[in-house]
Amino acid sequence: MSGNKAVAYKSPGVVEVIDTPYPTFELKDGPGVNPANVGRKVPHGVILRTVTTNICGSDQHMVRGRTTAPADLVLGHEITGEVIETGPDVEFIKVGDIVSVPFNISCGRCRNCKEAKTGICLNVNPDRPGSAYGYVDMGGWVGGQAEYVLVPYADWNLLKFPDRDQALEKIMDLTMLSDILPTGFHGAVSAGVTVGSTVYVAGAGPVGLAAAAASQLLGAAVVIVGDMNEDRLAQARSFGCEAINVGAGDPADQIEQILGVREVDCGIDAVGFEARGHGGGAGAQEAPATVLNSLMDLTAAGGSLGIPGLYVTGDPGAADDAAKKGNLSLSLGTGWAKSLSFTTGQCPVMKYNRQLMMAILHDRIHIAKAVNAQAISLAEAPRGYAEFDAGAATKYVLDPNGYLSN
């Protein structure tokens, strides 16, 4: 093998399918690769032929130019694949296995990994804890929106599906195990969702919809989803959620109309740092602390906030100098006065992915339907990015090697 096609970030608003090197068991220099990782040997890794790889809202932040991502960075951290080559130190994963790849890259050896904190592995990113494929400032591990991709620490990282035929039959659901379903589930668990809970999910993008579906799986009595995009709100209603348009007015007023009270038991932020102010309609201005402050108001005293929405330390497109460094005007006094708990950061995917795999395989959750998954070819990725950026109520699943068309 010598060739490989991949989706790369070129400039704000522009992605292209490029020719890129076929992966080897050694990290090479390239866009975004941490110099300390160049030449790193990966005998514990495998090479996958990509079965599916999804466009994520986190990718979209980079493509909009809202991070310090360099040109030609190969994108993609939501990966499902077939093992076609194993490194000499791989013992249990075999050629031919169909596997889900957690978006967190973790070593399985450090203190954090041993404590199930795989989102903040200490050994894979020389700059700071935590890493991911195809993402800015995450160590430079090459992304998986490609025909082939390298996965390190394969025996530890990969979730093998128990039956190949069953996996391919349910692949549009199983592809969500790499990120958005565990991330949404983590948001719900962190928010304390349980049987009978009332839940407010801010954001009706794929992660928000996954958090809503996860809340239902956990037994929530009422799940309310807020957004400004009517198509995405309709998608939330399609699987039994209540939906409110936060561009039309105060979310608390609309929640009161549904529940009879102005608060919920559990709050989930699935928006992140590109949030816009409430009540301003389609022209609402960006106000990155809006969702967090709103959730502190809306969540009952003693409750919890799950915050899977992405916040960054470097945002060149932010509205003010403070936000460019990730500094937001939070009403922390409100959170303190109400004794609220907060959980932020990457979802530790391995904490949840096997259980969620079983829920999918046994038809306890239909996540592809909930997020309106649509398969497109690798060549159609630029169109998928553009439509997703324009607000399409769709989760785009790339099919680089034709598995979905066979």
Side-chain angles (χ1 to χ4, degrees):
M1 291 283 186
S2 59
N4 190 15
K5 290 189 180 300
V7 180
Y9 166 70
K10 302 297 286 187
S11 62
V14 180
V15 298
E16 292 180 5
V17 178
I18 65 169
D19 291 314
T20 192
Y22 182 83
T24 66
F25 294 106
E26 178 182 328
L27 283 187
K28 308 292 187 182
D29 197 8
V33 178
N34 190 298
N37 263 347
V38 175
R40 184 170 180 164
K41 306 295 185 183
V42 191
H44 41 69
V46 301
I47 295 172
L48 301 182
R49 180 187 295 117
T50 305
V51 175
T52 54
T53 176
N54 316 326
I55 296 175
C56 180
S58 298
D59 299 319
Q60 201 74 60
H61 292 306
M62 290 188 291
V63 172
R64 289 178 184 139
R66 297 300 298 269
T67 71
T68 55
D72 292 320
L73 180 77
V74 173
L75 301 168
H77 56 271
E78 300 190 12
I79 309 163
T80 306
E82 178 177 5
V83 178
I84 59 171
E85 190 175 349
T86 61
D89 291 353
V90 177
E91 186 174 0
F92 304 112
I93 294 293
K94 305 297 182 185
V95 170
D97 289 345
I98 304 293
V99 295
S100 178
V101 184
F103 80 90
N104 324 107
I105 303 172
S106 56
C107 71
R109 295 154 165 81
C110 71
R111 172 182 175 175
N112 285 348
C113 285
K114 290 178 179 180
E115 294 177 356
K117 301 172 184 176
T118 55
I120 43 174
C121 174
L122 299 173
N123 288 331
V124 288
N125 183 353
D127 281 343
R128 61 186 180 188
S131 188
Y133 303 88
Y135 213 84
V136 60
D137 296 332
M138 288 292 186
W141 299 86
V142 178
Q145 287 177 14
E147 294 172 320
Y148 304 96
V149 63
L150 170 69
V151 174
Y153 303 103
D155 282 328
W156 164 253
N157 278 307
L158 294 179
L159 175 67
K160 176 185 173 182
F161 298 136
D163 181 86
R164 178 188 179 91
D165 291 340
Q166 183 188 33
L168 292 175
E169 180 182 342
K170 291 182 174 287
I171 197 64
M172 290 294 282
D173 291 290
L174 294 171
T175 190
M176 307 304 166
L177 289 173
S178 57
D179 182 356
I180 68 161
L181 181 53
T183 293
F185 192 82
H186 179 59
V189 169
S190 300
V193 178
T194 187
V195 174
S197 297
T198 57
V199 183
Y200 175 61
V201 180
V207 169
L209 296 173
S215 296
Q216 293 175 336
L217 184 65
L218 289 165
V222 182
V223 180
I224 303 169
V225 180
D227 205 292
M228 299 182 185
N229 182 317
E230 283 294 344
D231 290 339
R232 290 182 172 182
L233 291 173
Q235 186 61 32
R237 293 186 190 99
S238 74
F239 59 97
C241 300
E242 300 284 351
I244 62 173
N245 190 322
V246 298
D250 187 348
D253 293 339
Q254 299 181 68
I255 287 171
E256 185 175 23
Q257 293 176 15
I258 296 168
L259 298 178
V261 295
R262 297 173 65 82
E263 292 182 323
V264 294
D265 300 322
C266 312
I268 302 172
D269 173 6
V271 178
F273 72 102
E274 289 192 64
R276 291 187 287 166
H278 295 159
Q285 297 299 305
E286 186 170 303
T290 296
V291 169
L292 292 172
N293 287 330
S294 174
L295 285 173
M296 284 190 276
D297 286 335
L298 295 172
T299 304
S304 298
L305 307 186
I307 308 174
L310 175 68
Y311 290 87
V312 296
T313 56
D315 175 12
D320 57 59
D321 289 340
K324 288 178 181 179
K325 299 177 181 178
N327 297 326
L328 309 182
S329 297
L330 294 180
S331 180
L332 192 59
T334 300
W336 190 94
K338 296 177 75 173
S339 294
L340 299 176
S341 300
F342 302 76
T343 300
T344 66
Q346 288 187 31
C347 163
V349 171
M350 293 175 67
K351 187 174 181 178
Y352 309 109
N353 62 351
R354 186 187 179 279
Q355 303 96 300
L356 292 170
M357 175 189 74
M358 295 301 289
I360 288 170
L361 294 178
H362 294 277
D363 294 319
R364 301 299 297 167
I365 188 169
H366 298 93
I367 187 63
K369 183 177 180 181
V371 301
N372 191 28
Q374 180 183 130
I376 59 177
S377 69
L378 194 71
E380 293 176 292
R383 173 179 69 83
Y385 269 98
E387 292 179 0
F388 187 43
D389 188 51
T394 304
K395 176 68 172 177
Y396 288 100
V397 176
L398 304 181
D399 179 22
N401 289 296
Y403 283 85
L404 302 183
S405 57
N406 292 338

